[in-house]
């Protein structure tokens, strides 16, 4: 029952990524789970090649430092021939209508005079990611469930037209993780694409930077520490973060905290303590490129071994060998 999860290096890893997904991957990984850095998906918009290389290594280092099993972790572009070969087979299986109906394509292309073709076809590449590795389950939120449904459609069509080779995957809701909001605007989630850097806590931020960001976090004028996501969203966000770091509930985390200054100091300290070991290990890996390269190469070899038979069979069934 292979389960595949990926993360795109479109920016530096932040607290929302870590508490919402990465820490859960490390703590609740099953023997058949696979994880990958989907750096090819970061090319659907303008990108700087050198920054993409750095962000790919950065994301890989954070995943390893967090405890995601290295023997089930790989970088997408290290299997670029395999992923692109299958993506072409699936593009020749997919229709234009199916690709253009993807909600994210509609939203991101709306109002733009020039849209990259990759924005249209990347859901097919995503299907290739899923099908290449024999994925049975894909943990995704609502915004990605349509892409998994496309992978299901293409798997069934290929199996029917050419021969049985692909597992038909299913979307599953991921285990509930922390929903970390932007510190400068708690109405939106913490995101790599935010223009307000002080609202984002990055995994590799220095401790004093983290303290300053929490000291500036938006709250309200009440100075009343209680959990109310509707009336006090900024305070609720801080309590959610504190609760996850302490392994308790938000209501329990609020007890004994007299005011917003104390709350911000408590959350900053808890986040520094939580991220500290990950930050230290990730920086060591980024400093020791030999070790990071070894992990990356071994991950690619294992991923290639897992997928080789399936890709070879698909190529033959499609008439190319």
């Amino acid at each position: 029952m292979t389960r595949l999860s990926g993360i795109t290096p479109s920016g530096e890893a932040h607290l929302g990524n870590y508490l919402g997904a990465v820490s859960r991957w490390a703590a609740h990984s099953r023997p058949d789970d696979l994880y990958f850095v989907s750096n090819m998906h970061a090319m659907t918009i303008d990108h700087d090649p050198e920054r993409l290389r750095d962000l790919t290594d950065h994301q890989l280092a954070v995943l390893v430092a967090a405890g995601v099993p290295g023997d089930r972790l790989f970088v997408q572009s290290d299997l670029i021939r395999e992923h692109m070969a299958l993506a072409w087979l699936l593009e020749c299986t997919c229709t234009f209508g199916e690709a253009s109906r993807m909600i994210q394509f509609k939203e991101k292309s709306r109002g733009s005079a020039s849209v990259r073709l990759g924005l249209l076809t990347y859901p097919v590449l995503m299907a290739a990611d899923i099908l290449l590795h024999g994925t049975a389950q894909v943990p995704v939120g609502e915004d990605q469930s349509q892409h998994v449904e496309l992978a299901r459609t293409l798997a069934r069509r290929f199996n029917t037209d050419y021969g049985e080779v692909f597992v038909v995957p299913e979307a599953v809701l991921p285990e509930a993780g922390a929903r970390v909001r932007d510190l400068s605007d708690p109405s939106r989630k913490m995101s790599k694409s935010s223009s307000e850097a002080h609202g984002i806590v990055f995994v590799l931020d220095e401790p004093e930077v983290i303290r300053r960001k929490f000291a500036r976090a938006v709250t309200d004028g009440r100075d009343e520490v209680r959990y109310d996501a509707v009336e006090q969203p900024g305070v609720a966000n801080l309590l959610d973060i504190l609760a996850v770091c302490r392994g308790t509930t938000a209501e329990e985390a609020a007890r004994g905290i007299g005011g917003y200054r104390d709350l911000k100091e408590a959350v900053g300290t808890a986040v520094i303590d939580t991220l500290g070991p990950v930050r230290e290990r990730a920086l060591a890996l980024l400093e020791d490129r030999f070790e990071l390269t070894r992990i990356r190469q071994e991950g690619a070899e294992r991923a290639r071994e897992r997928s080789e038979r399936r890709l070879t069979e698909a190529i033959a069934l499609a008439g190319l060998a």
Side-chain angles (χ1 to χ4, degrees):
M1 188 62 72
T2 300
R3 185 169 59 180
L4 179 72
S5 300
I7 189 165
T8 301
S10 53
E12 293 185 29
H14 57 69
L15 184 64
N17 300 142
Y18 180 77
L19 296 182
V22 175
S23 62
R24 290 187 295 105
W25 294 351
H28 304 295
S29 179
R30 305 181 311 182
D32 290 331
D33 287 351
L34 300 176
Y35 308 94
F36 74 113
V37 179
S38 52
N39 55 340
M40 292 162 66
H41 290 298
M43 298 177 64
T44 58
I45 58 174
D46 288 341
H47 73 282
D48 175 74
E50 193 59 39
R51 178 161 170 76
L52 178 57
R53 291 188 194 97
D54 289 343
L55 287 174
T56 299
D57 282 345
H58 165 93
Q59 191 64 75
L60 180 64
V62 168
L63 292 176
V64 173
V68 175
D71 60 341
R72 284 175 273 131
L73 175 62
F74 65 96
V75 174
Q76 184 185 28
S77 65
D78 290 342
L79 280 79
I80 190 168
R81 292 175 177 81
E82 290 82 359
H83 282 260
M84 291 310 300
L86 184 52
W88 176 248
L89 295 184
L90 296 179
E91 283 183 16
C92 293
T93 305
C94 185
T95 69
F96 174 77
E98 288 169 333
S100 62
R101 282 195 294 271
M102 296 292 105
I103 294 173
Q104 289 200 1
F105 172 73
K106 290 182 177 180
E107 292 178 348
K108 293 181 180 180
S109 63
R110 186 179 296 123
S112 177
S114 178
V115 179
R116 296 195 175 207
L117 185 58
L119 187 61
L120 174 68
T121 60
Y122 95 90
V124 182
L125 175 58
M126 185 181 295
D129 299 335
I130 295 168
L131 301 184
L132 181 64
H133 299 280
T135 308
Q137 294 183 338
V138 188
V140 290
E142 286 297 321
D143 61 334
Q144 294 289 339
S145 60
Q146 190 184 34
H147 292 160
V148 180
E149 189 56 42
L150 178 65
R152 287 171 54 83
T153 297
L154 298 182
R156 286 194 295 257
R157 186 176 300 153
F158 193 99
N159 288 347
T160 299
D161 291 348
Y162 305 114
E164 291 282 338
V165 63
F166 296 125
V167 174
V168 179
E170 63 174 347
V172 296
L173 289 175
E175 297 176 28
R179 297 191 177 188
V180 179
R181 316 303 293 180
D182 191 296
L183 298 184
S184 63
D185 181 1
S187 68
R188 66 189 181 195
K189 69 179 182 179
M190 191 173 286
S191 170
K192 303 168 191 169
S193 61
S194 173
S195 59
E196 303 290 340
H198 61 271
I200 310 170
V201 175
F202 295 104
V203 173
L204 299 191
D205 275 346
E206 295 182 358
E208 286 310 308
V209 172
I210 294 175
R211 289 192 191 280
R212 286 199 298 271
K213 288 181 177 180
F214 278 106
R216 297 178 61 183
V218 169
T219 49
D220 52 55
R222 304 183 187 191
D223 204 29
E224 181 182 1
V225 181
R226 65 188 182 94
Y227 190 79
D228 188 333
V230 176
E231 296 295 327
Q232 296 177 266
V235 176
N237 183 41
L238 295 177
L239 288 172
D240 278 332
I241 295 170
L242 182 58
V244 174
C245 291
R246 288 183 173 177
T248 185
T249 65
E251 291 78 9
E252 180 65 29
R255 293 178 185 172
I257 299 180
Y260 291 171
R261 181 176 179 178
D262 291 343
L263 173 62
K264 292 177 180 182
E265 289 180 355
V267 182
T269 297
V271 169
I272 289 168
D273 291 344
T274 298
L275 294 182
V278 179
R279 177 179 181 271
E280 183 178 347
R281 172 64 171 148
L283 289 174
L285 285 166
L286 290 170
E287 182 69 23
D288 182 4
R289 292 288 172 162
F290 178 83
E291 175 65 8
L292 193 63
T293 299
R294 181 192 65 78
I295 293 171
R296 183 167 172 171
Q297 289 177 341
E298 291 183 359
E301 290 171 5
R302 293 188 185 97
R304 192 169 291 112
E305 290 172 1
R306 286 190 295 263
S307 61
E308 183 177 12
R309 180 200 59 77
R310 191 171 294 105
L311 177 61
T312 299
E313 188 174 350
I315 289 172
L317 287 171
L320 297 180

